[in-house]
Amino acid sequence: MASKFLCLHIPHGPNLFPPKPTSSTLKYQSVPTLLLPTKPRNASNSNHYSFLNCVPSTAKCSNSNSTTTSASFDLDPDPTLTNEDLKPTSPNQRTFSWLEMSSLWVGLVVGVPSYYLAGSLVDLGMSWWQGISTVVAANLITLLPLVLTGHAGTRYGISFPVLARSSFGIKGAHIPTLLRALVGCGWYGIESWIGGEAIFLLLPKSIKQTTSSLSQTLPWLGTSPLQFLCFISFWLAQLAIVWEGIDGIRELDKYSAPILIVLTSSLLIWAYTKANGFGYMLSLSSKLSSSEFWSLFFPSLTANISFWATLALNIPDFTRYAKSQKDQLIGQMGLPIFMGLFTFVGVAVTSSTGVIFGQVISNPIELLGRVGGFTTTILAIIGISLATVTTNIAANVVAPANALSSESFVSTWLVGYSALLGPIGGIILVDYYLIHKTKLSLWDLYSMSPYGAYYYCGGFNLAAIVALVFGVLPVIPGFLKKVGIFTSVPHGFAVIYNNAWFFSFFSAGILYLVLSSLTRKPKLKFDADEEHLQPAAN
C-alpha cells in the first residue's frame, strides 16, 4: 500500500489512549506477570486505573520467570511508536460501509495483472474453465485470512504494522513490515511502469513522429526518453491522490468502480460481437493429462493465493476504517466474485482476438491500441489509468514486467515471494486468535516499556522470528532451482516450493504456537466496563 512509503494525512480524532495513571492510583505487587490495568473498586472517576501484578523492575523479558521487587513505570504511548498513520482510528473515522469495501476490491481486481491470470494458465495447457476455476478457488481460500486478519483492524482500529507488534514484538514488528514493504516497493514501481506504458502505446502517432529523437531506446536507460517520461508522469499523477490520504483513496475507488465495470463490460461486448460469440473460447479444451494437470494445479493455486498475499497481511490498513465487522465481512466477500468475472473477461477477450485479428493478443494495452479510434483511445487511457492507479495505490499488486509471461509469472514471481509472506500471515493469525484470543492491549501496543506485554526480550519475540525463519528456509532450495542457480534438488524440496504459501503458512504458524506454549507469556485480563480498551466497532 502506498501509505507504507508516503505518509497519509489522517484527521485528528479523539484521544484513544487513557490518561497516565498517577502515583496515587498505582498499586504494585511483587509477582512476575503483567496484567492489563483494572479499575480500582473505590475509584469514582473512570479515568483512574491501577496496575496490578506488575513485572519486577529487574526483569529483562516480559516472559521472564524472575521475581524481585517492583518499581514504578507507566505505559503512555511512546512517541516513536505512533504518528497520524499508526494511531488507532476513532469511531468517527470509521466510515467505510460494505459498499465502499466492495468498491475497493473492484478497483484492486480490475487491472492488467488480473487480466493475465487465467489466460496464463490456459497458455500452460489448462482449458478455459479450469483456468478460471483455479483462480476462483485460490481467491476463496485467500478470503479466509483476509477476513480473519481484517477483524483486528475493525475491532481495534489498528493497522498492520501495529498488529504485528503483538506477535513479533514492539521492535520485531519491523521485520514483517519491511518484508511486506519490500515486495510492495518493487510492485509499486512496476505497476507505475505499466501505467506509463499504457500512456506511451496509446499516444497518437503524430506525437511520436514529431518527437522521433525521444522515441529511440537508450541502451543505458533500457527504454526511450519519451516512454520514461510517461512513466514519471504517471508516477507523479498518483501522488496527487496519495496526498489526499485515505479519504482520497476511498473517493477514488467509489467513483472508479462503476466506471471500470462499464468499461470492462463494453470490452466484453465488443469482443463477443466482433468474434460472433465465444465459440472459440468454449472450444478450448485441456492439453494436459490428468497427472500433468495436477502437477500444474497446485503451484498455480499457490501462485493465485500469493497474488493477494500482500493484502492478506495489510488488510487491517483498510478494515480499520470499516463501520463494523459486518461491513468488512460483506465487503470482502466480493473478492472471489470479482476475480472470477474479470478473469473470465480476460480469457474471453484474449481468445476472441484470435478470431478478430488472426492472432492472439494477450496484452490488453496492445489490444486497445489495435482497436484504434480517437474515442476508443481516450477511453482506453482513462480505463487503464484508473485500473492501474486503484490497484497500485491500494495494494501495489503486480508482477514485474519481464515476469508477465505465463510460466515465470505463475511459478517464479508469485510462488517465490509467497514464502516470505505466508509465514508472517500464519504467525499473526495464530497469535491473534489462539494465543491472545482476539484480546489486545492498546496501551502495550504503543509502549516501549520493558514491562509491556509485547516487549518480550528486548522488544523482539524470538518465538515469532524462529518460526518465520523455519517457514522460509525449506522453500529456498526449490526457488534456487527454479531460477536456475541449482541444477537439481531433492523431489521433496520441489514439492515444498510448489506449495510454498501453504507450507510456510502452516509450518510457521504451528511452530509459533508450540514455541509460545513453551514460553511463559503475560496473560491479559479485561474488565467489561473498560471502554477505552475495547474496540469502537464490534
Side-chain angles (χ1 to χ4, degrees), residues 130-169:
Q130 288 174 335
I132 295 174
S133 298
T134 301
V135 173
V136 173
N139 281 268
L140 286 171
I141 295 173
T142 308
L143 185 62
L144 185 60
L146 277 167
V147 171
L148 292 177
T149 309
H151 181 278
T154 303
R155 182 169 189 180
Y156 294 99
I158 56 177
S159 59
F160 163 65
V162 177
L163 176 61
R165 294 171 185 172
S166 170
S167 52
F168 283 85

mmCIF file of all heavy atoms in Angstrom, residues 130-169:
data_model
loop_
_atom_site.group_PDB
_atom_site.id
_atom_site.type_symbol
_atom_site.label_atom_id
_atom_site.label_comp_id
_atom_site.label_asym_id
_atom_site.label_seq_id
_atom_site.Cartn_x
_atom_site.Cartn_y
_atom_site.Cartn_z
ATOM 1 N N GLN A 130 -10.988 -24.535 -16.501
ATOM 2 C CA GLN A 130 -10.048 -24.969 -15.474
ATOM 3 C C GLN A 130 -9.225 -23.781 -14.971
ATOM 4 O O GLN A 130 -8.957 -23.655 -13.775
ATOM 5 C CB GLN A 130 -9.119 -26.050 -16.023
ATOM 6 C CG GLN A 130 -9.794 -27.397 -16.231
ATOM 7 C CD GLN A 130 -8.876 -28.399 -16.917
ATOM 8 O OE1 GLN A 130 -7.940 -28.031 -17.635
ATOM 9 N NE2 GLN A 130 -9.143 -29.685 -16.709
ATOM 10 N N GLY A 131 -8.820 -22.917 -15.900
ATOM 11 C CA GLY A 131 -8.048 -21.739 -15.517
ATOM 12 C C GLY A 131 -8.837 -20.810 -14.615
ATOM 13 O O GLY A 131 -8.345 -20.365 -13.568
ATOM 14 N N ILE A 132 -10.089 -20.533 -15.000
ATOM 15 C CA ILE A 132 -10.926 -19.648 -14.195
ATOM 16 C C ILE A 132 -11.251 -20.284 -12.854
ATOM 17 O O ILE A 132 -11.235 -19.615 -11.804
ATOM 18 C CB ILE A 132 -12.213 -19.295 -14.964
ATOM 19 C CG1 ILE A 132 -11.871 -18.473 -16.218
ATOM 20 C CG2 ILE A 132 -13.183 -18.512 -14.073
ATOM 21 C CD1 ILE A 132 -13.051 -18.185 -17.116
ATOM 22 N N SER A 133 -11.536 -21.585 -12.848
ATOM 23 C CA SER A 133 -11.851 -22.283 -11.600
ATOM 24 C C SER A 133 -10.680 -22.257 -10.635
ATOM 25 O O SER A 133 -10.857 -22.127 -9.415
ATOM 26 C CB SER A 133 -12.253 -23.733 -11.890
ATOM 27 O OG SER A 133 -13.414 -23.787 -12.683
ATOM 28 N N THR A 134 -9.465 -22.367 -11.154
ATOM 29 C CA THR A 134 -8.270 -22.317 -10.298
ATOM 30 C C THR A 134 -8.148 -20.958 -9.637
ATOM 31 O O THR A 134 -7.843 -20.856 -8.440
ATOM 32 C CB THR A 134 -7.015 -22.627 -11.123
ATOM 33 O OG1 THR A 134 -7.132 -23.919 -11.725
ATOM 34 C CG2 THR A 134 -5.770 -22.583 -10.251
ATOM 35 N N VAL A 135 -8.398 -19.908 -10.409
ATOM 36 C CA VAL A 135 -8.327 -18.549 -9.869
ATOM 37 C C VAL A 135 -9.381 -18.345 -8.786
ATOM 38 O O VAL A 135 -9.095 -17.807 -7.705
ATOM 39 C CB VAL A 135 -8.505 -17.512 -10.996
ATOM 40 C CG1 VAL A 135 -8.602 -16.098 -10.411
ATOM 41 C CG2 VAL A 135 -7.345 -17.582 -11.980
ATOM 42 N N VAL A 136 -10.608 -18.768 -9.045
ATOM 43 C CA VAL A 136 -11.695 -18.594 -8.076
ATOM 44 C C VAL A 136 -11.420 -19.400 -6.810
ATOM 45 O O VAL A 136 -11.627 -18.907 -5.680
ATOM 46 C CB VAL A 136 -13.047 -18.998 -8.696
ATOM 47 C CG1 VAL A 136 -14.145 -18.987 -7.637
ATOM 48 C CG2 VAL A 136 -13.414 -18.062 -9.839
ATOM 49 N N ALA A 137 -10.949 -20.649 -6.953
ATOM 50 C CA ALA A 137 -10.644 -21.484 -5.787
ATOM 51 C C ALA A 137 -9.577 -20.832 -4.918
ATOM 52 O O ALA A 137 -9.684 -20.819 -3.678
ATOM 53 C CB ALA A 137 -10.182 -22.871 -6.240
ATOM 54 N N ALA A 138 -8.556 -20.286 -5.549
ATOM 55 C CA ALA A 138 -7.487 -19.623 -4.799
ATOM 56 C C ALA A 138 -8.016 -18.414 -4.040
ATOM 57 O O ALA A 138 -7.624 -18.165 -2.893
ATOM 58 C CB ALA A 138 -6.367 -19.203 -5.753
ATOM 59 N N ASN A 139 -8.917 -17.671 -4.665
ATOM 60 C CA ASN A 139 -9.444 -16.476 -4.010
ATOM 61 C C ASN A 139 -10.413 -16.817 -2.888
ATOM 62 O O ASN A 139 -10.533 -16.059 -1.918
ATOM 63 C CB ASN A 139 -10.113 -15.576 -5.043
ATOM 64 C CG ASN A 139 -9.105 -14.765 -5.838
ATOM 65 O OD1 ASN A 139 -8.783 -13.646 -5.475
ATOM 66 N ND2 ASN A 139 -8.594 -15.329 -6.924
ATOM 67 N N LEU A 140 -11.103 -17.934 -3.000
ATOM 68 C CA LEU A 140 -11.945 -18.388 -1.890
ATOM 69 C C LEU A 140 -11.088 -18.747 -0.686
ATOM 70 O O LEU A 140 -11.457 -18.467 0.463
ATOM 71 C CB LEU A 140 -12.785 -19.589 -2.323
ATOM 72 C CG LEU A 140 -13.961 -19.292 -3.255
ATOM 73 C CD1 LEU A 140 -14.579 -20.592 -3.771
ATOM 74 C CD2 LEU A 140 -15.021 -18.447 -2.547
ATOM 75 N N ILE A 141 -9.933 -19.374 -0.940
ATOM 76 C CA ILE A 141 -9.012 -19.706 0.154
ATOM 77 C C ILE A 141 -8.427 -18.429 0.752
ATOM 78 O O ILE A 141 -8.346 -18.280 1.973
ATOM 79 C CB ILE A 141 -7.890 -20.630 -0.355
ATOM 80 C CG1 ILE A 141 -8.469 -21.982 -0.791
ATOM 81 C CG2 ILE A 141 -6.827 -20.823 0.726
ATOM 82 C CD1 ILE A 141 -7.465 -22.900 -1.451
ATOM 83 N N THR A 142 -8.036 -17.497 -0.110
ATOM 84 C CA THR A 142 -7.441 -16.247 0.357
ATOM 85 C C THR A 142 -8.421 -15.426 1.170
ATOM 86 O O THR A 142 -8.023 -14.662 2.062
ATOM 87 C CB THR A 142 -6.951 -15.415 -0.845
ATOM 88 O OG1 THR A 142 -6.126 -16.217 -1.682
ATOM 89 C CG2 THR A 142 -6.161 -14.195 -0.385
ATOM 90 N N LEU A 143 -9.698 -15.571 0.880
ATOM 91 C CA LEU A 143 -10.720 -14.802 1.586
ATOM 92 C C LEU A 143 -10.685 -15.065 3.085
ATOM 93 O O LEU A 143 -10.955 -14.156 3.887
ATOM 94 C CB LEU A 143 -12.103 -15.148 1.020
ATOM 95 C CG LEU A 143 -13.291 -14.354 1.568
ATOM 96 C CD1 LEU A 143 -13.139 -12.873 1.243
ATOM 97 C CD2 LEU A 143 -14.600 -14.890 0.982
ATOM 98 N N LEU A 144 -10.338 -16.287 3.479
ATOM 99 C CA LEU A 144 -10.319 -16.638 4.899
ATOM 100 C C LEU A 144 -9.289 -15.818 5.680
ATOM 101 O O LEU A 144 -9.652 -15.154 6.662
ATOM 102 C CB LEU A 144 -10.071 -18.139 5.064
ATOM 103 C CG LEU A 144 -10.140 -18.669 6.499
ATOM 104 C CD1 LEU A 144 -11.514 -18.410 7.097
ATOM 105 C CD2 LEU A 144 -9.824 -20.164 6.528
ATOM 106 N N PRO A 145 -7.990 -15.808 5.297
ATOM 107 C CA PRO A 145 -7.052 -14.959 6.043
ATOM 108 C C PRO A 145 -7.350 -13.476 5.890
ATOM 109 O O PRO A 145 -7.055 -12.687 6.804
ATOM 110 C CB PRO A 145 -5.684 -15.316 5.440
ATOM 111 C CG PRO A 145 -5.980 -15.943 4.125
ATOM 112 C CD PRO A 145 -7.290 -16.632 4.283
ATOM 113 N N LEU A 146 -7.936 -13.067 4.771
ATOM 114 C CA LEU A 146 -8.296 -11.659 4.605
ATOM 115 C C LEU A 146 -9.305 -11.233 5.661
ATOM 116 O O LEU A 146 -9.138 -10.197 6.326
ATOM 117 C CB LEU A 146 -8.870 -11.416 3.213
ATOM 118 C CG LEU A 146 -7.878 -11.199 2.071
ATOM 119 C CD1 LEU A 146 -8.586 -11.290 0.726
ATOM 120 C CD2 LEU A 146 -7.195 -9.851 2.212
ATOM 121 N N VAL A 147 -10.351 -12.016 5.826
ATOM 122 C CA VAL A 147 -11.398 -11.678 6.785
ATOM 123 C C VAL A 147 -10.882 -11.820 8.220
ATOM 124 O O VAL A 147 -11.160 -10.974 9.086
ATOM 125 C CB VAL A 147 -12.639 -12.570 6.570
ATOM 126 C CG1 VAL A 147 -13.637 -12.387 7.701
ATOM 127 C CG2 VAL A 147 -13.292 -12.252 5.233
ATOM 128 N N LEU A 148 -10.121 -12.881 8.488
ATOM 129 C CA LEU A 148 -9.614 -13.106 9.843
ATOM 130 C C LEU A 148 -8.643 -12.010 10.265
ATOM 131 O O LEU A 148 -8.696 -11.515 11.396
ATOM 132 C CB LEU A 148 -8.935 -14.475 9.929
ATOM 133 C CG LEU A 148 -9.851 -15.699 9.809
ATOM 134 C CD1 LEU A 148 -9.031 -16.985 9.840
ATOM 135 C CD2 LEU A 148 -10.904 -15.704 10.909
ATOM 136 N N THR A 149 -7.733 -11.632 9.378
ATOM 137 C CA THR A 149 -6.780 -10.576 9.708
ATOM 138 C C THR A 149 -7.476 -9.218 9.768
ATOM 139 O O THR A 149 -7.135 -8.376 10.601
ATOM 140 C CB THR A 149 -5.642 -10.530 8.670
ATOM 141 O OG1 THR A 149 -5.092 -11.836 8.505
ATOM 142 C CG2 THR A 149 -4.541 -9.576 9.112
ATOM 143 N N GLY A 150 -8.452 -9.022 8.889
ATOM 144 C CA GLY A 150 -9.180 -7.762 8.882
ATOM 145 C C GLY A 150 -9.968 -7.523 10.152
ATOM 146 O O GLY A 150 -10.279 -6.375 10.490
ATOM 147 N N HIS A 151 -10.297 -8.592 10.879
ATOM 148 C CA HIS A 151 -11.061 -8.473 12.119
ATOM 149 C C HIS A 151 -10.359 -7.564 13.119
ATOM 150 O O HIS A 151 -10.998 -6.714 13.773
ATOM 151 C CB HIS A 151 -11.273 -9.868 12.723
ATOM 152 C CG HIS A 151 -12.063 -9.872 13.991
ATOM 153 N ND1 HIS A 151 -11.507 -9.600 15.225
ATOM 154 C CD2 HIS A 151 -13.379 -10.114 14.226
ATOM 155 C CE1 HIS A 151 -12.429 -9.676 16.163
ATOM 156 N NE2 HIS A 151 -13.582 -9.989 15.587
ATOM 157 N N ALA A 152 -9.048 -7.728 13.258
ATOM 158 C CA ALA A 152 -8.296 -6.920 14.225
ATOM 159 C C ALA A 152 -8.320 -5.449 13.841
ATOM 160 O O ALA A 152 -8.412 -4.576 14.713
ATOM 161 C CB ALA A 152 -6.852 -7.420 14.306
ATOM 162 N N GLY A 153 -8.234 -5.155 12.544
ATOM 163 C CA GLY A 153 -8.270 -3.770 12.105
ATOM 164 C C GLY A 153 -9.584 -3.108 12.454
ATOM 165 O O GLY A 153 -9.623 -1.967 12.939
ATOM 166 N N THR A 154 -10.689 -3.812 12.227
ATOM 167 C CA THR A 154 -12.009 -3.255 12.517
ATOM 168 C C THR A 154 -12.260 -3.159 14.014
ATOM 169 O O THR A 154 -12.838 -2.183 14.496
ATOM 170 C CB THR A 154 -13.109 -4.113 11.866
ATOM 171 O OG1 THR A 154 -12.866 -4.197 10.457
ATOM 172 C CG2 THR A 154 -14.472 -3.512 12.095
ATOM 173 N N ARG A 155 -11.814 -4.145 14.759
ATOM 174 C CA ARG A 155 -12.096 -4.162 16.194
ATOM 175 C C ARG A 155 -11.291 -3.125 16.958
ATOM 176 O O ARG A 155 -11.826 -2.431 17.829
ATOM 177 C CB ARG A 155 -11.806 -5.549 16.767
ATOM 178 C CG ARG A 155 -12.126 -5.636 18.242
ATOM 179 C CD ARG A 155 -12.109 -7.048 18.762
ATOM 180 N NE ARG A 155 -12.624 -7.080 20.132
ATOM 181 C CZ ARG A 155 -12.726 -8.179 20.859
ATOM 182 N NH1 ARG A 155 -12.369 -9.343 20.359
ATOM 183 N NH2 ARG A 155 -13.201 -8.128 22.096
ATOM 184 N N TYR A 156 -10.012 -3.011 16.653
ATOM 185 C CA TYR A 156 -9.154 -2.119 17.424
ATOM 186 C C TYR A 156 -8.744 -0.852 16.674
ATOM 187 O O TYR A 156 -8.112 0.025 17.256
ATOM 188 C CB TYR A 156 -7.896 -2.868 17.885
ATOM 189 C CG TYR A 156 -8.206 -3.960 18.865
ATOM 190 C CD1 TYR A 156 -8.305 -5.287 18.452
ATOM 191 C CD2 TYR A 156 -8.438 -3.680 20.204
ATOM 192 C CE1 TYR A 156 -8.606 -6.299 19.343
ATOM 193 C CE2 TYR A 156 -8.742 -4.685 21.112
ATOM 194 C CZ TYR A 156 -8.826 -5.997 20.676
ATOM 195 O OH TYR A 156 -9.136 -6.997 21.558
ATOM 196 N N GLY A 157 -9.082 -0.768 15.396
ATOM 197 C CA GLY A 157 -8.717 0.425 14.631
ATOM 198 C C GLY A 157 -7.234 0.531 14.360
ATOM 199 O O GLY A 157 -6.712 1.627 14.131
ATOM 200 N N ILE A 158 -6.525 -0.609 14.376
ATOM 201 C CA ILE A 158 -5.067 -0.583 14.206
ATOM 202 C C ILE A 158 -4.679 -1.090 12.822
ATOM 203 O O ILE A 158 -5.400 -1.849 12.190
ATOM 204 C CB ILE A 158 -4.357 -1.429 15.280
ATOM 205 C CG1 ILE A 158 -4.900 -2.868 15.271
ATOM 206 C CG2 ILE A 158 -4.511 -0.795 16.647
ATOM 207 C CD1 ILE A 158 -4.198 -3.800 16.250
ATOM 208 N N SER A 159 -3.528 -0.641 12.365
ATOM 209 C CA SER A 159 -3.013 -1.036 11.060
ATOM 210 C C SER A 159 -2.128 -2.265 11.187
ATOM 211 O O SER A 159 -1.825 -2.717 12.293
ATOM 212 C CB SER A 159 -2.217 0.123 10.441
ATOM 213 O OG SER A 159 -1.138 0.484 11.290
ATOM 214 N N PHE A 160 -1.697 -2.781 10.040
ATOM 215 C CA PHE A 160 -0.860 -3.985 10.030
ATOM 216 C C PHE A 160 0.442 -3.832 10.824
ATOM 217 O O PHE A 160 0.791 -4.726 11.609
ATOM 218 C CB PHE A 160 -0.559 -4.394 8.584
ATOM 219 C CG PHE A 160 0.587 -5.330 8.430
ATOM 220 C CD1 PHE A 160 0.538 -6.616 8.951
ATOM 221 C CD2 PHE A 160 1.744 -4.937 7.765
ATOM 222 C CE1 PHE A 160 1.610 -7.487 8.809
ATOM 223 C CE2 PHE A 160 2.811 -5.796 7.623
ATOM 224 C CZ PHE A 160 2.749 -7.076 8.149
ATOM 225 N N PRO A 161 1.212 -2.734 10.678
ATOM 226 C CA PRO A 161 2.447 -2.623 11.455
ATOM 227 C C PRO A 161 2.211 -2.674 12.963
ATOM 228 O O PRO A 161 3.055 -3.181 13.704
ATOM 229 C CB PRO A 161 3.009 -1.262 11.022
ATOM 230 C CG PRO A 161 2.433 -1.023 9.668
ATOM 231 C CD PRO A 161 1.063 -1.606 9.728
ATOM 232 N N VAL A 162 1.081 -2.143 13.410
ATOM 233 C CA VAL A 162 0.781 -2.163 14.842
ATOM 234 C C VAL A 162 0.335 -3.558 15.272
ATOM 235 O O VAL A 162 0.746 -4.061 16.324
ATOM 236 C CB VAL A 162 -0.301 -1.120 15.182
ATOM 237 C CG1 VAL A 162 -0.666 -1.195 16.669
ATOM 238 C CG2 VAL A 162 0.188 0.278 14.826
ATOM 239 N N LEU A 163 -0.491 -4.201 14.474
ATOM 240 C CA LEU A 163 -0.928 -5.558 14.788
ATOM 241 C C LEU A 163 0.254 -6.510 14.888
ATOM 242 O O LEU A 163 0.277 -7.413 15.737
ATOM 243 C CB LEU A 163 -1.908 -6.057 13.721
ATOM 244 C CG LEU A 163 -2.394 -7.505 13.855
ATOM 245 C CD1 LEU A 163 -3.143 -7.708 15.163
ATOM 246 C CD2 LEU A 163 -3.268 -7.886 12.671
ATOM 247 N N ALA A 164 1.263 -6.321 14.038
ATOM 248 C CA ALA A 164 2.435 -7.191 14.040
ATOM 249 C C ALA A 164 3.228 -7.092 15.336
ATOM 250 O O ALA A 164 3.990 -8.004 15.682
ATOM 251 C CB ALA A 164 3.340 -6.860 12.855
ATOM 252 N N ARG A 165 3.057 -6.002 16.082
ATOM 253 C CA ARG A 165 3.771 -5.848 17.349
ATOM 254 C C ARG A 165 3.327 -6.893 18.363
ATOM 255 O O ARG A 165 4.100 -7.296 19.229
ATOM 256 C CB ARG A 165 3.534 -4.448 17.917
ATOM 257 C CG ARG A 165 4.117 -3.327 17.075
ATOM 258 C CD ARG A 165 3.656 -1.959 17.565
ATOM 259 N NE ARG A 165 4.123 -0.887 16.685
ATOM 260 C CZ ARG A 165 3.754 0.376 16.777
ATOM 261 N NH1 ARG A 165 2.900 0.736 17.736
ATOM 262 N NH2 ARG A 165 4.216 1.280 15.930
ATOM 263 N N SER A 166 2.074 -7.326 18.273
ATOM 264 C CA SER A 166 1.567 -8.316 19.215
ATOM 265 C C SER A 166 2.302 -9.634 19.094
ATOM 266 O O SER A 166 2.583 -10.292 20.100
ATOM 267 C CB SER A 166 0.067 -8.529 18.973
ATOM 268 O OG SER A 166 -0.415 -9.629 19.706
ATOM 269 N N SER A 167 2.644 -10.038 17.873
ATOM 270 C CA SER A 167 3.287 -11.332 17.658
ATOM 271 C C SER A 167 4.803 -11.247 17.557
ATOM 272 O O SER A 167 5.509 -12.099 18.099
ATOM 273 C CB SER A 167 2.732 -11.986 16.389
ATOM 274 O OG SER A 167 2.806 -11.104 15.284
ATOM 275 N N PHE A 168 5.322 -10.233 16.880
ATOM 276 C CA PHE A 168 6.767 -10.143 16.665
ATOM 277 C C PHE A 168 7.469 -9.260 17.688
ATOM 278 O O PHE A 168 8.694 -9.242 17.749
ATOM 279 C CB PHE A 168 7.054 -9.607 15.259
ATOM 280 C CG PHE A 168 6.861 -10.625 14.174
ATOM 281 C CD1 PHE A 168 5.611 -10.845 13.633
ATOM 282 C CD2 PHE A 168 7.927 -11.383 13.714
ATOM 283 C CE1 PHE A 168 5.413 -11.794 12.637
ATOM 284 C CE2 PHE A 168 7.748 -12.334 12.721
ATOM 285 C CZ PHE A 168 6.487 -12.544 12.183
ATOM 286 N N GLY A 169 6.724 -8.543 18.487
ATOM 287 C CA GLY A 169 7.330 -7.664 19.469
ATOM 288 C C GLY A 169 7.334 -6.226 18.995
ATOM 289 O O GLY A 169 7.233 -5.941 17.795
#
